[in-house]
Amino acid sequence: MSPPPAVRLSHLGRRFPGPPPVDALQDATFTVRAGEHVAIMGPSGSGKSTLLNLIGLLDSASSGVYELDGVDVGGLSAQRRTRLRRDLIGFVFQDFFLLPARTAWENVALAMVYTGLPAAQRRQRAMAALDRVGLSQRRDALPSTLSGGERQRVAIARALSNDPRLLLCDEPTGNLDSVTAGQVMGLIAGLNRLGVTVLTITHDLATASRATRVLQIADGRVRDQ
Amino acid sequence: MAGRGSTWRAVWSEALASLGQKPARTVLTMLGTVLGVGCFVAVLGLTATAAGQISTDFSSQIATAVRVNDAGTNPAGDTVFSFPDDAEQRIARLNGVQAGGVAWSTSADLDLGPAASSPAEAARVTVTLATSGYIDALLPTWRSGGVYNRFQQDHRLPVVVLGPALANRFGLSQAGGVVQLNGLPYLVTGILADVATQPEVLAGALIPATTGWDRFGSPTVHAPASMLIRTDLGAAHQIAGEAARQLRPDAPQLMAVVPPPDPPRMASLINASMRNLFTALAGLTLLIGGAAIANTTLVSVMERTQEIGLRRALGAAPAHIIAQFLIETVVLGAVAGLVGGSLGLLAVIAVALSLDWTALIDPWIVLAAPAIGAGVGLLAGLYPAWKAGHIDPIGALRR
């Protein structure tokens, strides 16, 4: 039996109550298979972030069906959605969101605080994740002493530390120069080759070109390219 | 192995780590609660210490003094004197009496005579006509000499005990000299240095009641006689109950006995009023301390909105966020309580040492200080923590 798709959306919509009400996402229907690397492209205000928030279980849809790893999340309690987000999804943000007073490994370990792992295991897994992104030698560095690319690699290590099924990347190269951006996307592509499903939201063509499939979003509507 | 217990332990660690990130702010945030709890402990300790001292002072001075006033009247004339002639001997027979005697005061223009430092000076001086037992009951300390004796009293000899102020006016520093009062010579048997009660006698002269009866006047309704009885510690109320019948078994109603104030009760009253006042002040300081924690935590929540959003994205439930901020404020409060309690204790000890008092403090107050601080932290953290737990992660990450 084949594994369920990592993400399956069916006529998903998100309406923000007004006045006037705004349909930020309308009738989104697509599937992301396990192990796939999909990029979603669109201009500012097209609904990319709304789609990412829905897929990342940070927000709830107004209509339609969303299945994550075969689980229909529509009727789930907030607690269950939080647990699914923690266990199945890793986030990589454009702004990195590293805690400035924590070292690189402590920032990575932050993702495991709410998993119930003992402190020793959290540290061990954080070190392993930093090793995967090639930053084991900077594990005790504070974010302020890291370059932009290194910060994003720490953020990727944090997203990877829980062994997520789905890596959600929100403009992961938005704050990086082209060379560093290429390195970071190479890293993400490498992770994808190792089996991690990746969904990247971007408006950058070079970033999207690393994906195996690109979806376009405009005015809240998604279409397969 | 993963588990819920480990998650809460991790939340606890996160809270402590967050506190350690800005130590200067953490210390300043604690300051209000440190002062509040410190004041609280110091107030309770100082009131207990002061009350203990008050009890000691009352016991040794006021609580051993019984006064018996003459309640008699005399429709036939001015003189009122209901005490028996042997009042001193009668009262001395009661067990627990150290000394006792009768006195009344009169005020007159006295010719200080040529012996005075200022010649031909006249002055109005209070003369107390007193038995020697009365002077003993004042617990006097002497600059020179002592009280007149029984013989001098029985034979109505012209002797006098001078207060230090009057002795200075006569230019006397030693007993044994002769001074003239209203033109008559008096042998000075003693010069007072101080008395435990009735300090007004220090400004005047004391003459035997027997000697002064004719020369300065008998007691009247307006200047009645009274008896002062000095008792053993703890015997005053017993003596007060027996004095009237001992002095005048035929007419005890003529003897109006005034027992000493009840020292424990008075101490308790003073203690309670002091404690109420200062506890209110300490409570106010605690309130300010709590407001400081609440305010700083609220500002911290605002500053850490992105961090809260990140934690939510990483799988923190609202309860985890609320718990983290509450732990931060409770730990802040508890540490502030510990520091404040210690400072309060040190203040009590320092004050007691400087005044040569015995420091008294209930150990439970000191032990409870961290709990009081933690309680303040908990109350102060409720609203900011609730607010943090309900921050929308999407909005927080977008900031």
Side-chain angles (χ1 to χ4, degrees):
Chain A
M1 199 173 111
S2 60
V7 172
R8 192 178 77 81
L9 307 186
S10 177
H11 307 292
L12 203 69
R14 178 66 170 105
R15 166 174 285 195
F16 292 103
V22 175
D23 288 309
L25 188 71
Q26 299 176 62
D27 202 28
T29 301
F30 65 89
T31 299
V32 179
R33 292 184 303 277
E36 206 175 4
H37 183 177
V38 173
I40 298 175
M41 286 195 73
S44 294
S46 59
K48 296 194 302 287
S49 294
T50 302
L51 181 60
L52 183 92
N53 292 334
L54 288 172
I55 295 173
L57 298 178
L58 293 170
D59 195 10
S60 299
S62 309
S63 58
V65 176
Y66 168 30
E67 288 179 13
L68 174 65
D69 205 31
V71 177
D72 182 355
V73 302
L76 297 181
S77 66
Q79 198 178 7
R80 181 97 173 89
R81 292 163 62 86
T82 298
R83 209 173 301 148
L84 274 181
R85 182 167 69 242
R86 184 188 66 201
D87 295 340
L88 300 182
I89 301 172
F91 286 93
V92 176
F93 302 99
Q94 177 179 351
D95 293 324
F96 322 134
F97 292 139
L98 301 180
L99 301 188
R102 306 289 178 93
T103 63
W105 81 261
E106 286 170 337
N107 267 288
V108 175
L110 198 65
M112 293 169 280
V113 162
Y114 307 101
T115 61
L117 277 178
Q121 279 190 47
R122 293 202 300 271
R123 184 185 170 96
Q124 190 182 8
R125 287 175 67 162
M127 298 300 183
L130 280 174
D131 195 35
R132 282 176 78 178
V133 299
L135 275 183
S136 54
Q137 78 284 2
R138 304 300 311 271
R139 62 190 181 189
D140 294 320
L142 289 172
S144 58
T145 65
L146 298 173
S147 68
E150 286 175 326
R151 289 182 204 181
Q152 192 59 297
R153 281 151 71 189
V154 172
I156 292 169
R158 181 179 63 198
L160 289 177
S161 61
N162 274 340
D163 287 332
R165 306 274 175 83
L166 176 64
L167 191 62
L168 284 180
C169 304
D170 184 9
E171 301 282 9
T173 58
N175 280 339
L176 303 176
D177 61 74
S178 58
V179 175
T180 311
Q183 291 168 350
V184 166
M185 286 316 295
L187 175 64
I188 291 173
L191 294 170
N192 175 244
R193 280 193 294 277
L194 293 172
V196 180
T197 308
V198 179
L199 187 62
T200 301
I201 287 196
T202 183
H203 63 271
D204 179 49
L205 203 57
T207 300
S209 67
R210 297 283 192 150
T212 51
R213 188 157 59 106
V214 177
L215 302 176
Q216 290 288 345
I217 183 167
D219 298 328
R221 295 175 186 277
V222 182
R223 64 183 173 81
D224 216 332
Q225 199 171 44
Chain B
M1 202 182 110
R4 298 181 87 179
S6 295
T7 303
W8 289 111
R9 271 197 296 278
V11 169
W12 176 267
S13 302
E14 285 297 305
L16 295 185
S18 296
L19 281 176
Q21 280 171 16
K22 293 189 175 174
R25 174 195 276 196
T26 301
V27 169
L28 288 174
T29 306
M30 287 195 303
L31 203 56
T33 310
V34 167
L35 291 175
V37 175
C39 284
F40 192 74
V41 171
V43 161
L44 294 181
L46 287 175
T47 48
T49 302
Q53 192 61 30
I54 287 165
S55 288
T56 306
D57 291 347
F58 279 164
S59 299
S60 62
Q61 294 175 7
I62 297 173
T64 57
V66 176
R67 184 167 287 279
V68 183
N69 293 323
D70 190 340
T73 56
N74 183 5
D78 282 345
T79 298
V80 174
F81 192 74
S82 307
F83 289 97
D85 291 342
D86 59 345
E88 261 191 45
Q89 289 76 19
R90 281 172 182 255
I91 208 69
R93 282 185 214 121
L94 286 179
N95 193 23
V97 170
Q98 292 180 350
V102 179
W104 66 96
S105 293
T106 182
S107 186
D109 288 325
L110 298 180
D111 175 7
L112 298 176
S117 55
S118 303
E121 186 184 353
R124 181 166 282 267
V125 176
T126 299
V127 175
T128 303
L129 310 179
T131 63
S132 58
Y134 183 89
I135 297 176
D136 290 336
L138 292 174
L139 300 178
T141 51
W142 297 94
R143 184 194 287 181
S144 174
V147 69
Y148 30 78
N149 58 34
R150 174 58 51 197
F151 178 85
Q152 290 164 328
Q153 292 180 87
D154 289 347
H155 293 83
R156 302 186 177 191
L157 296 182
V159 289
V160 65
V161 166
L162 296 178
L166 200 52
N168 288 343
R169 293 181 71 174
F170 278 117
L172 286 179
S173 58
Q174 294 287 323
V178 174
V179 295
Q180 290 200 10
L181 297 172
N182 280 353
L184 294 174
Y186 287 82
L187 173 68
V188 179
T189 64
I191 299 173
L192 290 166
D194 201 4
V195 288
T197 52
Q198 306 288 112
E200 60 271 19
V201 302
L202 296 173
L206 294 126
I207 290 174
T210 48
T211 309
W213 185 285
D214 294 329
R215 297 185 182 195
F216 293 95
S218 55
T220 64
V221 173
H222 305 297
S226 68
M227 174 174 248
L228 179 64
I229 307 168
R230 182 64 59 187
T231 73
D232 290 338
L233 201 58
H237 284 270
Q238 179 72 23
I239 302 292
E242 298 170 354
R245 283 197 181 282
Q246 181 71 10
L247 291 167
R248 288 296 301 266
D250 57 323
Q253 74 278 4
L254 295 177
M255 304 282 97
V257 180
V258 182
D262 182 359
R265 188 167 169 273
M266 183 167 281
S268 166
L269 283 173
I270 293 171
N271 190 13
S273 53
M274 281 172 70
R275 191 168 50 211
N276 289 345
L277 175 66
F278 286 107
T279 304
L281 287 174
L284 190 66
T285 319
L286 268 181
L287 199 67
I288 295 167
I293 290 184
N295 186 46
T296 313
T297 309
L298 204 55
V299 170
S300 173
V301 167
M302 299 303 169
E303 284 180 355
R304 291 160 65 184
T305 299
Q306 275 193 345
E307 176 191 329
I308 293 166
L310 173 70
R311 288 179 185 275
R312 292 295 310 278
L314 294 177
H320 292 134
I321 303 293
I322 290 172
Q324 177 174 338
F325 278 91
L326 274 183
I327 289 168
E328 286 182 25
T329 57
V330 167
V331 169
L332 262 183
V335 173
L338 188 67
V339 174
S342 305
L343 291 178
L345 182 63
L346 285 176
V348 172
I349 292 170
V351 169
L353 282 177
S354 69
L355 296 174
D356 202 20
W357 290 359
T358 304
L360 289 176
I361 191 163
D362 188 340
W364 284 110
I365 294 170
V366 181
L367 293 175
I372 293 169
V376 170
L378 179 68
L379 290 175
L382 281 175
Y383 175 67
W386 181 87
K387 199 169 171 59
H390 289 81
I391 282 177
D392 170 31
I394 300 170
L397 291 170
R398 201 180 289 148
R399 280 164 64 117

